[in-house]
Amino acid sequence: MSNSPTKESVPKLAPHLTTPIQDPPSPRTHRALRRLQSAHALGSHQSNNNYQPSLITQQHKQALQRTLSPAVNAHALSHHPSPAPHHSRVRSNSDAANMTPPNSGAAARRPALALGKRPIAADALSLDRLIRDGPPDGDLVGALESARLKILDQGIKSDTDGMSSLRIYVWLVFLNAPVLETDAYLALIHRGASPAYSKIRNDTFRTLATDPLFRRRVSEASLIRLLNAVAWKLHDAKEERAESLAKAGSKLTHTANQHGSPELQSSTAAVKSRARALTLTTEGSDTGASEPGTYVQGMNVLAAPFLYAARSEAEAFVAFHRFITNECPGYVRGAMDGVHKGLALVDKALAIVDPKLSLYLTGKGMNAELYAFPSVLTLCACTPPLPQVLRLWDFLFAYGAHLNILCIVAQLVIIRNSILSSPSPTKILRSFPPLQAETIIEVTLSIIKKIPDDVYAEIVSHAK
């Protein structure tokens, strides 16, 4: 959710559904998508004198200023050979960090895609070869954009169970996951039970319990190890923050003693008190806390697709840890403030996209807090079937995980007739219908442009 494609750079495709959202159909070929993006680029050049470079353009300039070397790929672990050789990567898939709030005196503007000419060299390669061989001519930003369009247009080749030897490497690339040696993961495992271990054990046995594909491929022991290792990493990060605060407090004490300032001494005491609070890592300490915790209920379901798609636990660990710490830290804080912000945005976006449906649900006392909490927290991983979850996640990692909010709205739009004709929509929304990833993606793309810039900015940054 920082440095991801902007709203205007996401291709707009019409859904093949009978819904109130009717956009002109557009061909889903690379040539057509290139023409569509060329039109976006031309539109951006014809804008007013206040035009600013797009995030992609800024990324490109930054990439060209660096000396890009064929560095080691983070994900080719020694005894789990990967089809993807080693390439350095820049951040690709979220734009919260660079998202600035709209000016109060003018309409919010987001930079359009301004790449100019499409990277034809990257388009000529298959997704598998693009991941394996890296960007042709060193055009990293162009290769990333081409990979996004390939995922949108062709998807990632997989079998009927959703298994693909390529998928985990595509995810790792878009997450810009760091290098991790297998031994580093094993060292976390060998530390034994983390402070959150009992909470983890209370959840893992029921993770996707009714999904035979997941139960056949991923053992509970594997899920416990992954979550316990992540809990240790988050615990260590908390301790590092506490030590940093303690050092800052020690400096203030020294300064206060030198100058005899009671204000500084008081501030020092507050800093030390905060540092002590951060070191509490008992099970109950995460509940309701504003600081990042080590485990919250629901992380087990969020971790499940990573384990299912990965070729090793170490790969799943580095991808999952990167995702929750960089993409959605607000989802795994004790208070889950990011999830609650996301739920409020589901209500807000639905009111914009489909006012009639929104008013009907509101009249029945049905807000997103009552029916969408699992879908927001787990990026729809709570809704089967699992192969469709993986396909939806391909799209979310390519274009920004924040789009999950609009994917939930899209699911409501798809079943709007059933909801409106039901005197008790609670029964329908108690569990969402089985995921149909392609349909959800198409409806999501069609409603993006209906979202005002200020609301879209909130969606982008809500999970931070």
Side-chain angles (χ1 to χ4, degrees):
M1 305 176 190
S2 59
N3 298 337
S4 75
T6 60
K7 174 181 169 185
E8 288 78 6
S9 71
V10 180
K12 313 233 179 1
L13 302 177
H16 304 295
L17 295 173
T18 307
T19 71
I21 302 167
Q22 297 294 335
D23 294 324
S26 57
R28 300 185 62 189
T29 63
H30 282 309
R31 184 176 299 172
L33 289 170
R34 282 198 294 272
R35 285 200 301 269
L36 178 62
Q37 293 208 326
S38 295
H40 287 171
L42 286 173
S44 69
H45 288 307
Q46 292 172 1
S47 63
N48 59 32
N49 294 331
N50 293 327
Y51 170 78
Q52 297 178 351
S54 71
L55 293 174
I56 296 289
T57 303
Q58 295 172 30
Q59 256 188 345
H60 200 181
K61 289 180 179 178
Q62 292 171 3
L64 291 176
Q65 289 170 0
R66 297 191 191 96
T67 303
L68 294 178
S69 60
V72 178
N73 189 311
H75 324 300
L77 302 175
S78 56
H79 51 282
H80 293 281
S82 155
H86 312 304
H87 301 284
S88 59
R89 299 186 295 276
V90 299
R91 184 77 187 105
S92 65
N93 90 311
S94 80
D95 52 345
N98 294 322
M99 180 65 65
T100 56
N103 295 329
S104 57
R109 289 193 306 267
R110 235 159 303 142
L113 183 65
L115 285 177
K117 203 170 182 180
R118 286 283 299 125
I120 303 300
D123 286 348
L125 302 178
S126 67
L127 183 61
D128 181 86
R129 186 174 172 187
L130 192 57
I131 296 296
R132 185 179 68 244
D133 297 343
D137 305 322
D139 184 8
L140 185 60
V141 174
L144 285 169
E145 187 60 26
S146 180
R148 291 188 182 103
L149 292 176
K150 291 178 192 299
I151 287 173
L152 188 63
D153 184 44
Q154 305 166 0
I156 296 176
K157 291 181 181 177
S158 57
D159 61 22
T160 54
D161 292 345
M163 298 307 303
S164 167
S165 60
L166 180 65
R167 173 170 280 118
I168 187 60
Y169 301 105
V170 174
W171 289 5
L172 289 165
V173 166
F174 283 123
L175 290 171
N176 194 22
V179 174
L180 177 81
E181 296 294 335
T182 304
D183 287 345
Y185 175 68
L186 293 176
L188 292 169
I189 298 300
H190 293 155
R191 288 170 67 173
S194 71
Y197 181 73
S198 61
K199 292 173 69 177
I200 292 169
R201 289 301 305 270
N202 285 338
D203 289 342
T204 52
F205 72 93
R206 52 175 172 252
T207 304
L208 304 187
T210 60
D211 194 313
L213 294 178
F214 180 76
R215 305 303 290 183
R216 185 167 67 239
R217 177 170 172 80
V218 181
S219 68
E220 184 185 358
S222 179
L223 184 59
I224 291 170
R225 284 192 296 268
L226 173 69
L227 293 171
N228 195 65
V230 168
W232 272 126
K233 282 284 284 186
L234 297 177
H235 170 268
D236 293 347
K238 287 176 71 173
E239 287 203 328
E240 287 175 10
R241 285 191 297 272
E243 289 177 6
S244 176
L245 285 170
K247 287 179 181 178
S250 178
K251 274 188 175 181
L252 285 173
T253 300
H254 179 70
T255 306
N257 288 339
Q258 279 186 330
H259 298 89
S261 170
E263 291 82 3
L264 282 175
Q265 290 175 353
S266 175
S267 174
T268 301
V271 169
K272 285 185 174 180
S273 174
R274 180 175 172 81
R276 283 195 299 272
L278 281 174
T279 60
L280 297 175
T281 53
T282 59
E283 282 185 40
S285 64
D286 289 342
T287 305
S290 59
E291 295 294 335
T294 57
Y295 180 80
V296 295
Q297 193 172 27
M299 282 173 63
N300 55 316
V301 179
L302 196 56
F306 288 102
L307 274 171
Y308 187 85
R311 302 179 73 187
S312 72
E313 282 183 28
E315 287 177 341
F317 167 80
V318 71
F320 178 59
H321 180 261
R322 176 70 175 183
F323 178 71
I324 63 174
T325 55
N326 196 65
E327 298 296 321
C328 60
Y331 283 11
V332 299
R333 280 193 284 266
M336 295 187 179
D337 52 309
V339 178
H340 293 291
K341 289 178 183 177
L343 291 166
L345 287 166
V346 170
D347 287 328
K348 185 181 289 189
L350 181 62
I352 295 167
V353 171
D354 194 332
K356 181 179 179 180
L357 180 58
S358 175
L359 286 171
Y360 183 76
L361 289 174
T362 302
K364 296 289 185 179
M366 293 290 295
N367 56 38
E369 287 274 357
L370 298 178
Y371 61 80
F373 189 95
S375 296
V376 172
L377 173 60
T378 66
L379 270 70
C380 296
C382 59
T383 306
L386 189 52
Q388 293 296 307
V389 172
L390 301 179
R391 174 66 184 102
L392 185 63
W393 279 28
D394 296 340
F395 166 71
L396 292 177
F397 289 156
Y399 284 95
H402 55 271
L403 289 177
N404 179 54
I405 300 299
L406 298 183
C407 287
I408 296 170
V409 174
Q411 292 175 72
L412 296 172
V413 170
I414 291 168
I415 60 172
R416 76 183 302 272
N417 291 335
S418 298
I419 296 173
L420 291 174
S421 62
S422 172
S424 180
T426 308
K427 295 179 181 178
I428 297 175
L429 296 177
R430 186 174 293 127
S431 60
F432 279 40
L435 284 182
Q436 298 177 355
E438 293 297 333
T439 302
I440 292 170
I441 291 169
E442 289 178 0
V443 176
T444 300
L445 292 173
S446 73
I447 67 179
I448 285 177
K449 63 179 176 290
K450 297 177 181 290
I451 306 299
D453 287 349
D454 57 339
V455 177
Y456 191 84
E458 291 182 54
I459 292 174
V460 168
S461 60
H462 78 276
K464 291 302 183 182

